């Protein structure tokens, strides 16, 4: 029986399909974030999506250092690792990995599946899709429902920091936030006097309510001054 090879994650994904390896790295996205059987892990040289076998119940947390036997495969045309059913899994608790701060123009294939962060301005917004512009380029951002990230009152023009897993889609990339605190508003366009009316009914209603209350308060203040 041929022994499983131990390589960095990037080199492992370049092996032929069905190659058996010993995968080792740090969990950047635990199962349940983007689906029950999907996790992302990374090492010093790269990162990989890992698909768990059906019925796998062992717990993984962000920051865990893990080692397990895996098979190289493909999913939707992209290389992945499949954790081998019944194989031993070594877990060592560790600290959460830091997102690598990147300029959008510098993103390339080697950043695929890695945890990154970009800073810029929201150029387009149609929740859960948006586009961020950091003056070096533009990057699509897509919030998955499985993450549980709640809809928030963002506006075009907001300055934001967004972290997440970088996914490769043909010739382009999409950033997939994992958790609530992966999306941070550094400066709202509303605070600079630029009022952006929300695009969907729920936010329009909230905007109208806020505007109406503000006008009532202003009218009462003016009336008080006139009476005096």
């Amino acid at each position: 029986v041929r022994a499983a090879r131990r390589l960095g994650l990037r080199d492992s994904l370049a092996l032929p399909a069905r190659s058996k390896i010993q995968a080792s790295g740090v969990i950047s996205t635990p199962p349940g974030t983007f689906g029950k059987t999907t996790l992302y892990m990374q090492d010093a040289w790269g990162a990989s999506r890992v698909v768990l076998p059906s019925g796998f119940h062992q717990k993984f947390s962000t920051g865990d250092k893990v080692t397990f036997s895996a098979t190289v495969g493909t999913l939707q045309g992209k290389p992945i690792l499949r954790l081998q059913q019944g194989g031993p899994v070594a877990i060592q608790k560790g600290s959460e990995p830091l997102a690598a701060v990147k300029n959008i123009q510098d993103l390339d294939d080697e950043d695929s599946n890695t945890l990154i962060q970009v800073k810029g301005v929201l150029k387009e917004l149609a929740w859960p899709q948006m586009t961020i512009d950091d003056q070096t380029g533009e990057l699509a951002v897509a919030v998955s429902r499985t993450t549980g990230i709640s809809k928030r009152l963002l506006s075009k023009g907001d300055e934001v920091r967004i972290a997440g897993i970088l996914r490769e889609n043909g010739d382009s990339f999409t950033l997939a936030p994992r958790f609530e605190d992966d999306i941070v508003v550094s400066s709202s366009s509303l605070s600079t006097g630029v009022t952006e009316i929300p695009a969907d009914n729920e936010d329009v209603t909230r905007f109208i309510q806020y505007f109406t209350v503000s006008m009532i308060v202003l009218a009462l203040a003016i009336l008080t001054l006139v009476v005096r």
Side-chain angles (χ1 to χ4, degrees):
V1 178
R2 181 179 295 179
R5 282 173 277 191
R6 190 157 190 170
L7 300 170
L9 292 173
R10 183 182 302 148
D11 290 338
S12 297
L13 293 176
L15 293 173
R18 300 184 181 179
S19 296
K20 297 184 184 301
I21 67 154
Q22 278 290 106
S24 184
V26 176
I27 302 294
S28 61
T29 309
T33 308
F34 297 127
K36 294 181 179 179
T37 60
T38 292
L39 65 82
Y40 284 85
M41 61 186 290
Q42 56 192 58
D43 59 17
W45 302 278
S48 176
R49 178 180 180 179
V50 179
V51 176
L52 306 177
S54 177
F56 185 84
H57 298 299
Q58 194 158 356
K59 300 284 187 180
F60 289 122
S61 300
T62 307
D64 284 352
K65 299 177 181 179
V66 299
T67 301
F68 52 80
S69 297
T71 302
V72 179
T74 59
L75 185 64
Q76 297 173 340
K78 303 296 181 184
I80 61 165
L81 297 179
R82 295 186 183 275
L83 188 148
Q84 290 184 12
Q85 180 79 51
V89 179
I91 301 178
Q92 180 183 351
K93 294 298 180 183
S95 56
E96 295 191 13
L98 297 176
V101 178
K102 294 281 187 176
N103 290 326
I104 293 174
Q105 69 174 3
D106 297 331
L107 298 176
D108 58 28
D109 295 347
E110 294 185 354
D111 297 310
S112 183
N113 298 319
T114 60
L115 176 62
I116 71 161
Q117 182 190 85
V118 293
K119 303 176 182 180
V121 174
L122 286 183
K123 185 173 182 180
E124 300 294 339
L125 175 61
W127 187 270
Q129 312 288 331
M130 57 192 103
T131 301
I132 185 171
D133 186 338
D134 71 350
Q135 296 186 333
T136 74
E138 298 179 7
L139 179 64
V141 179
V143 179
S144 173
R145 291 183 180 179
T146 59
T147 62
I149 297 175
S150 59
K151 184 177 180 181
R152 55 193 65 190
L153 194 58
L154 297 169
S155 299
K156 287 171 62 176
D158 284 354
E159 294 181 10
V160 295
R161 301 194 312 270
I162 303 180
I165 299 299
L166 189 68
R167 294 173 171 172
E168 189 174 359
N169 305 305
D171 295 331
S172 63
F173 294 101
T174 298
L175 186 60
R178 308 159 301 155
F179 314 122
E180 290 279 358
D181 56 5
D182 278 348
I183 303 175
V184 177
V185 178
S186 305
S187 177
S188 172
S189 64
L190 297 179
S191 65
T192 62
V194 179
T195 302
E196 193 78 39
I197 297 178
D200 58 85
N201 292 335
E202 178 184 342
D203 287 347
V204 167
T205 300
R206 192 179 305 165
F207 177 85
I208 293 174
Q209 290 173 343
Y210 173 82
F211 183 81
T212 302
V213 171
S214 299
M215 291 300 100
I216 292 174
V217 171
L218 179 61
L220 289 174
I222 294 173
L223 181 60
T224 301
L225 292 173
V226 170
V227 171
R228 289 181 179 178

